[in-house]
Amino acid sequence: VHSNDVMPMQPSLRVIAQKAVSLKDDRGNLIVTFGTNDRRHAIVRFLRSMSSQQIENILVIAWDYDLYAYLLHKTPVALYEPKQRLSHRRLFGDDTFFFLNALRFKIIHILLHHGIHIFSCDSDVIVGGNVWMHLPWQYDLAVQSDARDGTTGVENDPDLLGRRLGLRGARNWTYANGGTFFCRAAPATAALFRRIWARLSTSDTP
């Protein structure tokens, strides 16, 4: 992806980008997941499920040093410690959850700019087949449905976080699910992820 529309990189982001470039396969594909040390058991299960399918082009991005140190000699891992202090007990829907979710889009924008096609997923994913054999390659972006109400079947549910997940004050929160998606490196997708990060990082609410 050749574009001037890329955010300046901090030293830790340069390290992540360099490591990602070295890990991508011959077609430019890379699986990326993110985590903190309190999720390390889920990450180990995730890595084992990938290994069972002979998938090796994986990069774990650790949000804290403890996870980085634990994985350092087990799997390719890079450290990105946010300047914002993370809450000791991280819960779904708290400030740390939304902050780290938004940071994913910042990092993936950088990787797309480096020409890497990204399959990104949560660390609690367990695969039952080779991911690369089941992706819709005709699309530049394939995402999981995140706005479907399981009761009504309504696909566009802007108040999903508040109504279905019970998060107080969640009406009209700025939120994009970084759970599972495939994104091909292209100028349009890189620009999209930059816009997502810009929106999430400047919003008054998560």
Side-chain angles (χ1 to χ4, degrees):
V1 178
H2 300 286
S3 169
N4 293 324
D5 187 30
V6 63
M7 64 189 72
M9 284 198 292
Q10 303 160 357
S12 55
L13 284 175
R14 291 194 186 95
V15 171
I16 290 173
Q18 291 167 359
K19 185 163 287 191
V21 168
S22 72
L23 290 170
K24 66 180 181 179
D25 67 15
D26 293 341
R27 295 192 296 176
N29 300 322
L30 182 66
I31 294 174
V32 177
T33 192
F34 302 81
T36 49
N37 193 51
D38 58 334
R39 300 288 296 165
R40 72 182 191 184
H41 298 299
I43 293 173
V44 168
R45 288 193 299 270
F46 165 80
L47 293 171
R48 286 175 180 167
S49 74
M50 290 291 181
S51 178
S52 71
Q53 302 299 325
Q54 290 77 52
I55 300 174
E56 298 179 351
N57 53 326
I58 303 169
L59 176 61
V60 178
I61 297 175
W63 298 125
D64 56 51
Y65 182 81
D66 289 343
L67 178 63
Y68 173 77
Y70 177 77
L71 294 176
L72 185 57
H73 300 294
K74 296 179 174 65
T75 192
V77 60
L79 176 65
Y80 186 83
E81 289 189 289
K83 293 180 180 179
Q84 174 176 316
R85 183 178 177 86
L86 305 182
S87 60
H88 176 69
R89 186 182 181 189
R90 290 174 276 278
L91 300 174
F92 179 82
D94 67 7
D95 289 345
T96 295
F97 167 84
F98 285 105
F99 176 66
L100 294 181
N101 177 76
L103 273 181
R104 294 185 186 198
F105 294 92
K106 175 182 182 178
I107 291 174
I108 289 174
H109 161 72
I110 295 293
L111 302 186
L112 293 172
H113 180 75
H114 280 76
I116 305 171
H117 312 309
I118 298 294
F119 178 78
S120 178
C121 58
D122 287 337
S123 58
D124 57 1
V125 167
I126 296 178
V127 299
N130 191 313
V131 171
W132 303 118
M133 295 176 63
H134 299 282
L135 289 174
W137 292 102
Q138 68 270 35
Y139 300 109
D140 285 340
L141 182 64
V143 301
Q144 67 177 13
S145 173
D146 189 49
R148 173 174 293 180
D149 183 279
T151 302
T152 65
V154 174
E155 187 68 30
N156 185 17
D157 187 0
D159 298 316
L160 178 71
L161 289 174
R163 192 168 61 77
R164 197 187 77 180
L165 302 182
L167 298 181
R168 294 183 178 179
R171 183 173 180 81
N172 296 321
W173 274 3
T174 304
Y175 171 69
N177 192 333
T180 303
F181 59 84
F182 167 72
C183 189
R184 192 189 308 277
T189 53
L192 171 64
F193 275 74
R194 179 183 175 87
R195 290 197 300 271
I196 292 173
W197 164 246
R199 174 72 181 274
L200 295 177
S201 63
T202 57
S203 177
D204 292 334
T205 53

